PDB file of all heavy atoms in Angstrom:
ATOM      1  N   PRO K  10       0.868  -1.235  -0.067  1.00 90.00           N
ATOM      2  CA  PRO K  10       0.019  -0.023  -0.020  1.00 90.00           C
ATOM      3  C   PRO K  10       0.895   1.273   0.110  1.00 90.00           C
ATOM      4  O   PRO K  10       1.841   1.479   0.788  1.00 90.00           O
ATOM      5  CB  PRO K  10      -0.805  -0.132   1.240  1.00 90.00           C
ATOM      6  CG  PRO K  10      -0.816  -1.630   1.554  1.00 90.00           C
ATOM      7  CD  PRO K  10       0.409  -2.091   1.101  1.00 90.00           C
ATOM      8  N   GLY K  11       0.540   2.123  -0.870  1.00 92.00           N
ATOM      9  CA  GLY K  11       1.343   3.433  -0.944  1.00 92.00           C
ATOM     10  C   GLY K  11       2.695   3.323  -1.705  1.00 92.00           C
ATOM     11  O   GLY K  11       3.307   4.339  -1.754  1.00 92.00           O
ATOM     12  N   PHE K  12       2.855   2.211  -2.434  1.00 93.00           N
ATOM     13  CA  PHE K  12       4.213   1.999  -3.163  1.00 93.00           C
ATOM     14  C   PHE K  12       4.393   3.140  -4.179  1.00 93.00           C
ATOM     15  O   PHE K  12       5.474   3.858  -4.262  1.00 93.00           O
ATOM     16  CB  PHE K  12       4.184   0.658  -3.871  1.00 93.00           C
ATOM     17  CG  PHE K  12       5.381   0.388  -4.641  1.00 93.00           C
ATOM     18  CD1 PHE K  12       6.517  -0.142  -4.010  1.00 93.00           C
ATOM     19  CD2 PHE K  12       5.499   0.712  -6.019  1.00 93.00           C
ATOM     20  CE1 PHE K  12       7.680  -0.359  -4.770  1.00 93.00           C
ATOM     21  CE2 PHE K  12       6.625   0.421  -6.746  1.00 93.00           C
ATOM     22  CZ  PHE K  12       7.708  -0.072  -6.080  1.00 93.00           C
ATOM     23  N   LEU K  13       3.445   3.461  -5.048  1.00 94.00           N
ATOM     24  CA  LEU K  13       3.543   4.378  -5.968  1.00 94.00           C
ATOM     25  C   LEU K  13       3.550   5.857  -5.443  1.00 94.00           C
ATOM     26  O   LEU K  13       4.264   6.654  -6.125  1.00 94.00           O
ATOM     27  CB  LEU K  13       2.319   4.262  -7.123  1.00 94.00           C
ATOM     28  CG  LEU K  13       2.619   4.756  -8.394  1.00 94.00           C
ATOM     29  CD1 LEU K  13       3.883   4.146  -9.057  1.00 94.00           C
ATOM     30  CD2 LEU K  13       1.356   4.538  -9.264  1.00 94.00           C
ATOM     31  N   ALA K  14       2.882   6.055  -4.403  1.00 96.00           N
ATOM     32  CA  ALA K  14       3.005   7.399  -3.841  1.00 96.00           C
ATOM     33  C   ALA K  14       4.158   7.724  -2.928  1.00 96.00           C
ATOM     34  O   ALA K  14       4.411   8.775  -2.564  1.00 96.00           O
ATOM     35  CB  ALA K  14       1.754   7.606  -2.957  1.00 96.00           C
ATOM     36  N   THR K  15       4.904   6.646  -2.633  1.00 95.00           N
ATOM     37  CA  THR K  15       6.158   6.796  -1.797  1.00 95.00           C
ATOM     38  C   THR K  15       7.188   7.376  -2.757  1.00 95.00           C
ATOM     39  O   THR K  15       7.590   6.781  -3.811  1.00 95.00           O
ATOM     40  CB  THR K  15       6.612   5.500  -1.285  1.00 95.00           C
ATOM     41  OG1 THR K  15       5.517   4.931  -0.464  1.00 95.00           O
ATOM     42  CG2 THR K  15       7.929   5.610  -0.492  1.00 95.00           C
ATOM     43  N   PRO K  16       7.833   8.505  -2.500  1.00 96.00           N
ATOM     44  CA  PRO K  16       8.879   9.076  -3.256  1.00 96.00           C
ATOM     45  C   PRO K  16      10.027   8.236  -3.790  1.00 96.00           C
ATOM     46  O   PRO K  16      10.527   7.302  -2.910  1.00 96.00           O
ATOM     47  CB  PRO K  16       9.312  10.258  -2.556  1.00 96.00           C
ATOM     48  CG  PRO K  16       8.272  10.577  -1.565  1.00 96.00           C
ATOM     49  CD  PRO K  16       7.712   9.259  -1.253  1.00 96.00           C
ATOM     50  N   PHE K  17      10.380   8.289  -5.030  1.00 95.00           N
ATOM     51  CA  PHE K  17      11.569   7.614  -5.568  1.00 95.00           C
ATOM     52  C   PHE K  17      12.753   8.296  -5.054  1.00 95.00           C
ATOM     53  O   PHE K  17      12.725   9.628  -5.162  1.00 95.00           O
ATOM     54  CB  PHE K  17      11.419   7.781  -7.079  1.00 95.00           C
ATOM     55  CG  PHE K  17      12.549   6.984  -7.854  1.00 95.00           C
ATOM     56  CD1 PHE K  17      12.263   5.576  -8.069  1.00 95.00           C
ATOM     57  CD2 PHE K  17      13.647   7.684  -8.404  1.00 95.00           C
ATOM     58  CE1 PHE K  17      13.365   4.884  -8.858  1.00 95.00           C
ATOM     59  CE2 PHE K  17      14.539   6.945  -9.034  1.00 95.00           C
ATOM     60  CZ  PHE K  17      14.513   5.674  -9.226  1.00 95.00           C
ATOM     61  N   LEU K  18      13.750   7.712  -4.538  1.00 90.00           N
ATOM     62  CA  LEU K  18      14.717   8.324  -3.809  1.00 90.00           C
ATOM     63  C   LEU K  18      16.048   8.800  -4.570  1.00 90.00           C
ATOM     64  O   LEU K  18      16.911   9.494  -4.012  1.00 90.00           O
ATOM     65  CB  LEU K  18      15.135   7.606  -2.633  1.00 90.00           C
ATOM     66  CG  LEU K  18      14.134   7.232  -1.568  1.00 90.00           C
ATOM     67  CD1 LEU K  18      14.447   6.273  -0.491  1.00 90.00           C
ATOM     68  CD2 LEU K  18      13.460   8.517  -1.038  1.00 90.00           C
ATOM     69  N   HIS K  19      16.138   8.371  -5.799  1.00 92.00           N
ATOM     70  CA  HIS K  19      17.497   8.365  -6.495  1.00 92.00           C
ATOM     71  C   HIS K  19      17.460   9.461  -7.379  1.00 92.00           C
ATOM     72  O   HIS K  19      16.386   9.906  -8.002  1.00 92.00           O
ATOM     73  CB  HIS K  19      17.829   7.155  -7.241  1.00 92.00           C
ATOM     74  CG  HIS K  19      17.521   5.896  -6.306  1.00 92.00           C
ATOM     75  ND1 HIS K  19      18.330   5.484  -5.361  1.00 92.00           N
ATOM     76  CD2 HIS K  19      16.575   4.916  -6.441  1.00 92.00           C
ATOM     77  CE1 HIS K  19      17.965   4.452  -4.778  1.00 92.00           C
ATOM     78  NE2 HIS K  19      16.830   4.085  -5.479  1.00 92.00           N
ATOM     79  N   THR K  20      18.682  10.127  -7.518  1.00 94.00           N
ATOM     80  CA  THR K  20      18.986  11.199  -8.672  1.00 94.00           C
ATOM     81  C   THR K  20      20.100  10.810  -9.455  1.00 94.00           C
ATOM     82  O   THR K  20      20.401  11.479 -10.490  1.00 94.00           O
ATOM     83  CB  THR K  20      19.150  12.563  -7.970  1.00 94.00           C
ATOM     84  OG1 THR K  20      20.432  12.423  -7.083  1.00 94.00           O
ATOM     85  CG2 THR K  20      17.910  12.905  -7.225  1.00 94.00           C
ATOM     86  N   GLN K  21      20.811   9.735  -9.097  1.00 93.00           N
ATOM     87  CA  GLN K  21      21.940   9.254  -9.831  1.00 93.00           C
ATOM     88  C   GLN K  21      21.925   7.749  -9.948  1.00 93.00           C
ATOM     89  O   GLN K  21      21.182   7.111  -9.192  1.00 93.00           O
ATOM     90  CB  GLN K  21      23.312   9.816  -9.463  1.00 93.00           C
ATOM     91  CG  GLN K  21      23.524   9.489  -7.936  1.00 93.00           C
ATOM     92  CD  GLN K  21      24.807  10.240  -7.484  1.00 93.00           C
ATOM     93  OE1 GLN K  21      25.405  10.975  -8.189  1.00 93.00           O
ATOM     94  NE2 GLN K  21      25.156   9.969  -6.207  1.00 93.00           N
ATOM     95  N   ALA K  22      22.673   7.167 -10.809  1.00 93.00           N
ATOM     96  CA  ALA K  22      22.628   5.692 -10.890  1.00 93.00           C
ATOM     97  C   ALA K  22      22.963   4.975  -9.646  1.00 93.00           C
ATOM     98  O   ALA K  22      23.720   5.499  -8.799  1.00 93.00           O
ATOM     99  CB  ALA K  22      23.689   5.358 -12.042  1.00 93.00           C
ATOM    100  N   VAL K  23      22.304   3.851  -9.538  1.00 88.00           N
ATOM    101  CA  VAL K  23      22.550   2.919  -8.307  1.00 88.00           C
ATOM    102  C   VAL K  23      23.371   1.761  -8.970  1.00 88.00           C
ATOM    103  O   VAL K  23      23.060   1.087  -9.934  1.00 88.00           O
ATOM    104  CB  VAL K  23      21.191   2.414  -7.823  1.00 88.00           C
ATOM    105  CG1 VAL K  23      21.460   1.312  -6.749  1.00 88.00           C
ATOM    106  CG2 VAL K  23      20.294   3.553  -7.306  1.00 88.00           C
ATOM    107  N   ASN K  24      24.462   1.488  -8.335  1.00 83.00           N
ATOM    108  CA  ASN K  24      25.399   0.445  -8.739  1.00 83.00           C
ATOM    109  C   ASN K  24      25.535  -0.640  -7.626  1.00 83.00           C
ATOM    110  O   ASN K  24      25.319  -0.323  -6.520  1.00 83.00           O
ATOM    111  CB  ASN K  24      26.744   1.057  -9.124  1.00 83.00           C
ATOM    112  CG  ASN K  24      26.759   2.151 -10.264  1.00 83.00           C
ATOM    113  OD1 ASN K  24      26.237   1.729 -11.373  1.00 83.00           O
ATOM    114  ND2 ASN K  24      27.049   3.271  -9.963  1.00 83.00           N
ATOM    115  N   PRO K  25      26.060  -1.730  -8.048  1.00 66.00           N
ATOM    116  CA  PRO K  25      26.208  -2.918  -7.067  1.00 66.00           C
ATOM    117  C   PRO K  25      27.083  -2.421  -5.821  1.00 66.00           C
ATOM    118  O   PRO K  25      26.834  -2.893  -4.748  1.00 66.00           O
ATOM    119  CB  PRO K  25      27.008  -3.914  -7.830  1.00 66.00           C
ATOM    120  CG  PRO K  25      26.625  -3.659  -9.242  1.00 66.00           C
ATOM    121  CD  PRO K  25      26.470  -2.305  -9.424  1.00 66.00           C
ATOM    122  N   ASP K  26      28.062  -1.546  -6.061  1.00 73.00           N
ATOM    123  CA  ASP K  26      28.934  -1.161  -4.972  1.00 73.00           C
ATOM    124  C   ASP K  26      28.116  -0.208  -3.952  1.00 73.00           C
ATOM    125  O   ASP K  26      28.508  -0.068  -2.776  1.00 73.00           O
ATOM    126  CB  ASP K  26      30.097  -0.291  -5.379  1.00 73.00           C
ATOM    127  CG  ASP K  26      31.074  -1.195  -6.224  1.00 73.00           C
ATOM    128  OD1 ASP K  26      31.000  -2.437  -6.115  1.00 73.00           O
ATOM    129  OD2 ASP K  26      31.903  -0.558  -7.005  1.00 73.00           O
ATOM    130  N   ASP K  27      26.989   0.298  -4.321  1.00 74.00           N
ATOM    131  CA  ASP K  27      26.174   1.138  -3.570  1.00 74.00           C
ATOM    132  C   ASP K  27      25.207   0.223  -2.606  1.00 74.00           C
ATOM    133  O   ASP K  27      24.580   0.884  -1.743  1.00 74.00           O
ATOM    134  CB  ASP K  27      25.244   2.039  -4.418  1.00 74.00           C
ATOM    135  CG  ASP K  27      26.111   2.962  -5.304  1.00 74.00           C
ATOM    136  OD1 ASP K  27      27.280   3.302  -4.873  1.00 74.00           O
ATOM    137  OD2 ASP K  27      25.608   3.307  -6.324  1.00 74.00           O
ATOM    138  N   LEU K  28      25.196  -1.002  -2.782  1.00 69.00           N
ATOM    139  CA  LEU K  28      24.169  -1.751  -2.197  1.00 69.00           C
ATOM    140  C   LEU K  28      24.664  -2.787  -1.000  1.00 69.00           C
ATOM    141  O   LEU K  28      25.801  -3.270  -1.236  1.00 69.00           O
ATOM    142  CB  LEU K  28      23.398  -2.624  -3.222  1.00 69.00           C
ATOM    143  CG  LEU K  28      22.757  -1.840  -4.421  1.00 69.00           C
ATOM    144  CD1 LEU K  28      22.220  -2.726  -5.430  1.00 69.00           C
ATOM    145  CD2 LEU K  28      21.614  -0.923  -3.893  1.00 69.00           C
ATOM    146  N   ASP K  29      23.895  -2.986  -0.075  1.00 69.00           N
ATOM    147  CA  ASP K  29      24.251  -3.990   0.897  1.00 69.00           C
ATOM    148  C   ASP K  29      24.000  -5.400   0.313  1.00 69.00           C
ATOM    149  O   ASP K  29      23.188  -5.483  -0.697  1.00 69.00           O
ATOM    150  CB  ASP K  29      23.391  -3.827   2.146  1.00 69.00           C
ATOM    151  CG  ASP K  29      23.648  -2.520   2.814  1.00 69.00           C
ATOM    152  OD1 ASP K  29      24.865  -1.954   2.837  1.00 69.00           O
ATOM    153  OD2 ASP K  29      22.719  -1.974   3.524  1.00 69.00           O
ATOM    154  N   ASP K  30      24.561  -6.346   0.944  1.00 63.00           N
ATOM    155  CA  ASP K  30      24.269  -7.755   0.430  1.00 63.00           C
ATOM    156  C   ASP K  30      22.863  -8.184   0.416  1.00 63.00           C
ATOM    157  O   ASP K  30      22.326  -9.047  -0.310  1.00 63.00           O
ATOM    158  CB  ASP K  30      25.181  -8.700   1.150  1.00 63.00           C
ATOM    159  CG  ASP K  30      26.607  -8.693   0.858  1.00 63.00           C
ATOM    160  OD1 ASP K  30      26.953  -8.169  -0.263  1.00 63.00           O
ATOM    161  OD2 ASP K  30      27.570  -9.202   1.509  1.00 63.00           O
ATOM    162  N   ASP K  31      22.157  -7.633   1.418  1.00 63.00           N
ATOM    163  CA  ASP K  31      20.743  -8.051   1.574  1.00 63.00           C
ATOM    164  C   ASP K  31      19.777  -6.902   1.297  1.00 63.00           C
ATOM    165  O   ASP K  31      18.713  -6.725   1.938  1.00 63.00           O
ATOM    166  CB  ASP K  31      20.477  -8.522   2.999  1.00 63.00           C
ATOM    167  CG  ASP K  31      20.923  -7.493   4.036  1.00 63.00           C
ATOM    168  OD1 ASP K  31      21.524  -6.484   3.676  1.00 63.00           O
ATOM    169  OD2 ASP K  31      20.425  -7.633   5.262  1.00 63.00           O
ATOM    170  N   TYR K  32      20.145  -6.059   0.335  1.00 67.00           N
ATOM    171  CA  TYR K  32      19.208  -5.032   0.000  1.00 67.00           C
ATOM    172  C   TYR K  32      17.846  -5.362  -0.516  1.00 67.00           C
ATOM    173  O   TYR K  32      17.648  -6.529  -0.989  1.00 67.00           O
ATOM    174  CB  TYR K  32      19.859  -4.065  -1.079  1.00 67.00           C
ATOM    175  CG  TYR K  32      19.901  -4.559  -2.610  1.00 67.00           C
ATOM    176  CD1 TYR K  32      18.780  -4.150  -3.393  1.00 67.00           C
ATOM    177  CD2 TYR K  32      20.767  -5.397  -3.004  1.00 67.00           C
ATOM    178  CE1 TYR K  32      18.688  -4.680  -4.619  1.00 67.00           C
ATOM    179  CE2 TYR K  32      20.731  -5.898  -4.317  1.00 67.00           C
ATOM    180  CZ  TYR K  32      19.703  -5.385  -5.208  1.00 67.00           C
ATOM    181  OH  TYR K  32      19.637  -5.983  -6.537  1.00 67.00           O
ATOM    182  N   ASP K  33      16.923  -4.581  -0.292  1.00 71.00           N
ATOM    183  CA  ASP K  33      15.496  -4.810  -0.696  1.00 71.00           C
ATOM    184  C   ASP K  33      15.170  -4.088  -1.980  1.00 71.00           C
ATOM    185  O   ASP K  33      15.228  -2.907  -2.062  1.00 71.00           O
ATOM    186  CB  ASP K  33      14.613  -4.300   0.354  1.00 71.00           C
ATOM    187  CG  ASP K  33      13.043  -4.606   0.149  1.00 71.00           C
ATOM    188  OD1 ASP K  33      12.812  -5.012  -1.029  1.00 71.00           O
ATOM    189  OD2 ASP K  33      12.243  -4.240   0.880  1.00 71.00           O
ATOM    190  N   GLN K  34      15.252  -4.912  -3.131  1.00 73.00           N
ATOM    191  CA  GLN K  34      15.074  -4.437  -4.423  1.00 73.00           C
ATOM    192  C   GLN K  34      13.838  -3.551  -4.609  1.00 73.00           C
ATOM    193  O   GLN K  34      13.899  -2.545  -5.228  1.00 73.00           O
ATOM    194  CB  GLN K  34      15.064  -5.593  -5.483  1.00 73.00           C
ATOM    195  CG  GLN K  34      14.901  -5.121  -6.782  1.00 73.00           C
ATOM    196  CD  GLN K  34      15.051  -6.320  -7.793  1.00 73.00           C
ATOM    197  OE1 GLN K  34      15.880  -7.265  -7.550  1.00 73.00           O
ATOM    198  NE2 GLN K  34      14.410  -6.216  -9.002  1.00 73.00           N
ATOM    199  N   ASP K  35      12.816  -4.018  -4.050  1.00 77.00           N
ATOM    200  CA  ASP K  35      11.419  -3.221  -4.052  1.00 77.00           C
ATOM    201  C   ASP K  35      11.577  -1.910  -3.463  1.00 77.00           C
ATOM    202  O   ASP K  35      11.121  -0.899  -4.011  1.00 77.00           O
ATOM    203  CB  ASP K  35      10.326  -4.024  -3.489  1.00 77.00           C
ATOM    204  CG  ASP K  35      10.117  -5.379  -4.201  1.00 77.00           C
ATOM    205  OD1 ASP K  35      10.198  -5.312  -5.454  1.00 77.00           O
ATOM    206  OD2 ASP K  35       9.880  -6.330  -3.525  1.00 77.00           O
ATOM    207  N   ARG K  36      12.325  -1.740  -2.482  1.00 82.00           N
ATOM    208  CA  ARG K  36      12.363  -0.451  -1.698  1.00 82.00           C
ATOM    209  C   ARG K  36      13.252   0.517  -2.601  1.00 82.00           C
ATOM    210  O   ARG K  36      13.023   1.734  -2.398  1.00 82.00           O
ATOM    211  CB  ARG K  36      13.155  -0.651  -0.382  1.00 82.00           C
ATOM    212  CG  ARG K  36      12.874   0.456   0.569  1.00 82.00           C
ATOM    213  CD  ARG K  36      13.286   0.091   1.998  1.00 82.00           C
ATOM    214  NE  ARG K  36      12.615  -0.915   2.736  1.00 82.00           N
ATOM    215  CZ  ARG K  36      11.295  -0.725   3.248  1.00 82.00           C
ATOM    216  NH1 ARG K  36      10.707   0.301   3.023  1.00 82.00           N
ATOM    217  NH2 ARG K  36      10.689  -1.724   3.905  1.00 82.00           N
ATOM    218  N   LEU K  37      14.018   0.117  -3.454  1.00 87.00           N
ATOM    219  CA  LEU K  37      14.747   0.930  -4.376  1.00 87.00           C
ATOM    220  C   LEU K  37      13.989   1.582  -5.415  1.00 87.00           C
ATOM    221  O   LEU K  37      14.474   2.587  -6.112  1.00 87.00           O
ATOM    222  CB  LEU K  37      15.932   0.155  -5.047  1.00 87.00           C
ATOM    223  CG  LEU K  37      17.137  -0.444  -4.172  1.00 87.00           C
ATOM    224  CD1 LEU K  37      18.101  -1.305  -4.948  1.00 87.00           C
ATOM    225  CD2 LEU K  37      17.887   0.836  -3.492  1.00 87.00           C
ATOM    226  N   VAL K  38      12.849   1.115  -5.672  1.00 92.00           N
ATOM    227  CA  VAL K  38      12.028   1.566  -6.910  1.00 92.00           C
ATOM    228  C   VAL K  38      10.686   2.143  -6.509  1.00 92.00           C
ATOM    229  O   VAL K  38       9.866   2.257  -7.383  1.00 92.00           O
ATOM    230  CB  VAL K  38      11.873   0.424  -7.901  1.00 92.00           C
ATOM    231  CG1 VAL K  38      13.411   0.169  -8.506  1.00 92.00           C
ATOM    232  CG2 VAL K  38      11.191  -0.854  -7.482  1.00 92.00           C
ATOM    233  N   THR K  39      10.509   2.430  -5.195  1.00 93.00           N
ATOM    234  CA  THR K  39       9.279   3.007  -4.867  1.00 93.00           C
ATOM    235  C   THR K  39       8.964   4.326  -5.647  1.00 93.00           C
ATOM    236  O   THR K  39       9.989   4.951  -6.056  1.00 93.00           O
ATOM    237  CB  THR K  39       9.181   3.512  -3.363  1.00 93.00           C
ATOM    238  OG1 THR K  39      10.220   4.254  -3.079  1.00 93.00           O
ATOM    239  CG2 THR K  39       9.218   2.205  -2.445  1.00 93.00           C
ATOM    240  N   GLY K  40       7.784   4.677  -5.914  1.00 96.00           N
ATOM    241  CA  GLY K  40       7.463   5.872  -6.677  1.00 96.00           C
ATOM    242  C   GLY K  40       7.801   5.759  -8.117  1.00 96.00           C
ATOM    243  O   GLY K  40       7.555   6.806  -8.844  1.00 96.00           O
ATOM    244  N   SER K  41       7.840   4.539  -8.624  1.00 96.00           N
ATOM    245  CA  SER K  41       8.054   4.203 -10.029  1.00 96.00           C
ATOM    246  C   SER K  41       7.242   3.100 -10.495  1.00 96.00           C
ATOM    247  O   SER K  41       6.808   2.299  -9.627  1.00 96.00           O
ATOM    248  CB  SER K  41       9.559   4.051 -10.364  1.00 96.00           C
ATOM    249  OG  SER K  41       9.898   2.820  -9.948  1.00 96.00           O
ATOM    250  N   MET K  42       6.995   3.026 -11.683  1.00 96.00           N
ATOM    251  CA  MET K  42       6.120   1.841 -12.316  1.00 96.00           C
ATOM    252  C   MET K  42       6.832   1.396 -13.506  1.00 96.00           C
ATOM    253  O   MET K  42       7.464   2.220 -14.305  1.00 96.00           O
ATOM    254  CB  MET K  42       4.744   2.192 -12.529  1.00 96.00           C
ATOM    255  CG  MET K  42       4.378   3.410 -13.366  1.00 96.00           C
ATOM    256  SD  MET K  42       2.664   3.639 -13.414  1.00 96.00           S
ATOM    257  CE  MET K  42       2.547   4.760 -14.637  1.00 96.00           C
TER     258      MET K  42
END
């Protein structure tokens, strides 16, 4: 609930080095479809 209304947080590319080993992929793309 609220996924699309939750702001997308990025302004520049997200790369593997930016992520924790257990990152939540869905949380990275809120506010987008």
Side-chain angles (χ1 to χ4, degrees):
F12 178 87
L13 202 56
T15 302
F17 186 81
L18 300 176
H19 313 290
T20 57
Q21 57 188 4
V23 175
N24 299 300
D26 295 339
D27 302 329
L28 305 171
D29 296 330
D30 289 339
D31 60 346
Y32 78 93
D33 181 351
Q34 182 173 327
D35 298 320
R36 203 168 289 287
L37 291 175
V38 294
T39 58
S41 72
M42 61 186 189

